[in-house]
Amino acid sequence: MVGFHKAFTAIGMPAASGWTWALSIVGLVIVLRILLIPLFVKQIKSSRRMQLIQPEIQKIQKKYKGKKDAESRQKMTEETMELYKKTGTNPFSSCMPILLQSPFFFALFRVLDRLKDIGHGTHHPIGVMTRSLAAQAESSTLFGVKLSSAFLHPGDSPVGATRTLCIALIIIMSVTVFTTQHQLMRKNMPASALDNPLAKQQKYIMYIMPVFFAISGVNFPIGVLLYWVTTNLWTMGQQFYTIRRMPAPGSEAERALEERRKAKGKPITKLSIPGLHSHDDEAADTSAVELAKSKTPPGSPGLVTADGGTAGKSGGQRVQPKRNKKRKR
């Protein structure tokens, strides 16, 4: 954040302006989210894998349904973990971007919450945020409101302007997080997955997160609210791009992508996981065809395959039927 402040000051922006510090916070968020893109890609792949193995997990749960003894629960857990291991799926990897972003959020909250104390010398400087920079950032204003002011703690800022700006930022935060979850459930989840626990969890998040932002946002300084607005906007745009280019299997977004690829004459590929399905069915099908071939008499048309060919050996010629002579008494 201090680095962006120096860069904006170097190009002529006022050092003590609230807009300079606000853009510095935005720059901090953008750099942080760019660094988290590799983890976001892993999160997407893990989410796709979790969606693809849901039928297999449901089979395991159905297998042990109604069995409440400890041995059955242990076997169900072991089979589920074996499925995760076989398919290379990590159910906890989707939480990594949020967990890695949390230390930066709490660090920024701590800095902005203690700008006044740092500037007045009642608290030690934090990192490169010296006392002079802290005093400058604390005195800077955005629409007449200090970046360290909050809805419940306006400080020296005008109460009306502070609360108006806070409410506006909280509304933007709530709308962006609701829109992100809504487009995820509406376009990027297959119909079969809307009844599983993961879909219900996403639905709860869609309604709970705006309430969480509304309740907790009244305690956040303006600078922290700017942080959350920026990261929510980034998340919404990033997810919109992901749903359009990397949709979930069986979802409405995948069908829309296939339509676009068909219109452009591009090949359509389906996402699959090595090791998800056993080869027992394929082996059984192959054995059935081979058995039919071995039992087909020479010269007979043979089995008709899916591509219109024959599985038996016919020699390429049509065999004429022979008339059986009746025995005379």
Side-chain angles (χ1 to χ4, degrees):
M1 184 173 69
V2 172
F4 273 106
H5 180 263
K6 291 180 179 179
F8 290 135
T9 304
I11 62 176
M13 295 186 67
S17 172
W19 287 101
T20 306
W21 284 104
L23 291 176
S24 301
I25 295 173
V26 172
L28 167 68
V29 176
I30 292 174
V31 169
L32 176 61
R33 295 308 300 266
I34 290 175
L35 293 176
L36 290 176
I37 285 178
L39 286 175
F40 176 76
V41 174
K42 289 184 178 181
Q43 176 189 6
I44 291 297
K45 292 181 179 179
S46 176
S47 177
R48 299 295 181 268
R49 288 175 177 270
M50 285 296 296
Q51 290 172 346
L52 286 175
I53 68 174
Q54 280 303 312
E56 301 297 324
I57 293 179
Q58 291 174 359
K59 288 180 183 178
I60 296 174
Q61 293 173 347
K62 186 177 180 181
K63 179 180 177 181
Y64 295 97
K65 186 177 180 181
K67 300 179 181 180
K68 298 183 179 180
D69 56 293
E71 184 179 357
S72 298
R73 289 198 299 268
Q74 183 179 357
K75 288 183 178 180
M76 184 177 69
T77 303
E78 290 176 355
E79 291 186 19
T80 304
M81 297 306 295
E82 180 64 24
L83 178 64
Y84 287 151
K85 183 179 178 180
K86 184 172 64 174
T87 58
T89 306
N90 183 3
F92 302 106
S93 61
S94 59
C95 304
M96 290 303 294
I98 297 177
L99 293 177
L100 289 179
Q101 192 177 180
S102 298
F104 294 91
F105 165 74
F106 287 115
L108 180 65
F109 180 85
R110 183 183 179 190
V111 169
L112 294 176
D113 189 50
R114 300 186 178 182
L115 282 178
K116 187 174 182 179
D117 296 333
I118 297 172
H120 292 172
T122 57
H123 193 278
H124 296 292
I126 300 177
V128 293
M129 181 62 74
T130 61
R131 285 191 173 88
S132 59
L133 284 176
Q136 185 185 84
E138 198 273 334
S139 61
S140 63
T141 59
L142 189 67
F143 297 110
V145 180
K146 292 184 177 181
L147 295 179
S148 58
S149 299
F151 183 90
L152 296 178
H153 310 285
D156 300 334
S157 302
V159 177
T162 301
R163 293 182 174 175
T164 301
L165 182 57
C166 286
I167 291 173
L169 292 175
I170 290 172
I171 290 174
I172 296 174
M173 288 166 54
S174 303
V175 170
T176 50
V177 73
F178 181 85
T179 304
T180 301
Q181 293 296 326
H182 186 263
Q183 71 175 350
L184 176 65
M185 296 193 64
R186 183 185 172 197
K187 297 182 178 180
N188 205 42
M189 292 190 73
S192 59
L194 293 177
D195 294 331
N196 62 29
L198 182 62
K200 294 179 180 179
Q201 181 183 4
Q202 295 289 343
K203 188 175 181 180
Y204 292 148
I205 291 175
M206 182 173 67
Y207 291 103
I208 291 176
M209 287 303 291
V211 178
F212 168 77
F213 280 124
I215 295 175
S216 59
V218 295
N219 292 306
F220 290 163
I222 297 295
V224 174
L225 293 178
L226 285 173
Y227 176 95
W228 273 113
V229 167
T230 307
T231 194
N232 285 356
L233 288 172
W234 179 284
T235 301
M236 186 173 66
Q238 185 173 251
Q239 184 169 276
F240 177 81
Y241 176 85
T242 303
I243 291 175
R244 182 175 176 83
R245 302 296 296 272
M246 300 170 58
S251 63
E252 179 184 342
E254 185 187 45
R255 292 190 291 271
L257 177 62
E258 291 177 357
E259 292 291 335
R260 293 196 301 269
R261 294 186 72 88
K262 283 182 181 179
K264 296 179 181 179
K266 295 182 178 180
I268 298 174
T269 57
K270 293 286 187 179
L271 180 64
S272 61
I273 301 178
L276 176 59
H277 300 289
S278 63
H279 298 287
D280 297 340
D281 296 337
E282 297 178 3
D285 294 341
T286 305
S287 300
V289 173
E290 293 296 332
L291 182 62
K293 285 182 180 180
S294 63
K295 290 185 177 181
T296 303
S300 64
L303 288 175
V304 178
T305 58
D307 57 354
T310 56
K313 298 180 180 179
S314 62
Q317 296 180 354
R318 184 170 180 263
V319 180
Q320 298 296 332
K322 295 181 180 181
R323 185 188 300 273
N324 294 326
K325 294 181 180 181
K326 297 181 180 180
R327 294 180 63 183
K328 294 182 180 180
R329 292 184 179 179

